[in-house]
Amino acid sequence: QVQLQESGPGLVKPSQTLSLTCTVSGGSITTNYYYWSWIRRPPGKGLEWIGYISYSGSTVYSPSLKSRTSISRDTSKNQFTLQLNSVTPEDTAVYYCARDRAGGSNYDYYDYWGQGTQVTVSS
């Protein structure tokens, strides 16, 4: 049973960098052919896909967030990390990490999710 757990600050000031880590257990983040994504849900809105890091370490980001986003991994700890720069209150959301088999924003292919973590951007 694969489990994912998000961790990081719940409050970030505007213009700073949001940094979250997803710790994976029960499966390796290097196993072919899985993709490890970050997704968020702003208050009152639907899910928004942020990007992924693949089993091979390649990354793809949402065009709307690409300029501010970086996803990396630490294979020794079986973790992957999201960094979102220059945050504004519009980045307030519940952030999820998740695994899928297709490498995109079709949530039908997602089989494991973290429980989500609330991040609020406020001064």
Side-chain angles (χ1 to χ4, degrees):
Q1 180 82 0
V2 176
Q3 293 183 317
L4 297 90
Q5 179 67 57
E6 304 90 352
S7 60
L11 180 64
V12 182
K13 288 182 167 52
S15 80
Q16 293 189 342
T17 295
L18 180 161
S19 183
L20 296 173
T21 295
C22 183
T23 301
V24 179
S25 59
S28 172
I29 62 172
T30 62
T31 299
N32 297 345
Y33 298 95
Y34 291 111
Y35 301 83
W36 304 88
S37 290
W38 286 99
I39 299 150
R40 67 184 184 181
R41 186 191 294 273
K45 298 184 179 180
L47 293 171
E48 179 182 18
W49 180 74
I50 300 169
Y52 72 69
I53 187 163
S54 77
Y55 56 94
S56 66
S58 62
T59 54
V60 174
Y61 304 120
S62 167
S64 65
L65 296 169
K66 183 177 181 178
S67 65
R68 300 194 289 128
T69 305
S70 177
I71 299 175
S72 60
R73 68 180 185 174
D74 185 334
T75 56
S76 68
K77 295 180 180 179
N78 215 35
Q79 295 175 332
F80 61 106
T81 298
L82 168 70
Q83 288 196 312
L84 184 65
N85 302 323
S86 304
V87 297
T88 73
E90 285 66 43
D91 293 309
T92 293
V94 178
Y95 285 75
Y96 300 92
C97 56
R99 188 185 84 167
D100 90 291
R101 296 174 173 268
S105 58
N106 185 339
Y107 302 120
D108 290 344
Y109 293 101
Y110 282 71
D111 54 3
Y112 291 101
W113 293 72
Q115 65 182 21
T117 187
Q118 173 70 45
V119 178
T120 301
V121 179
S122 175
S123 56

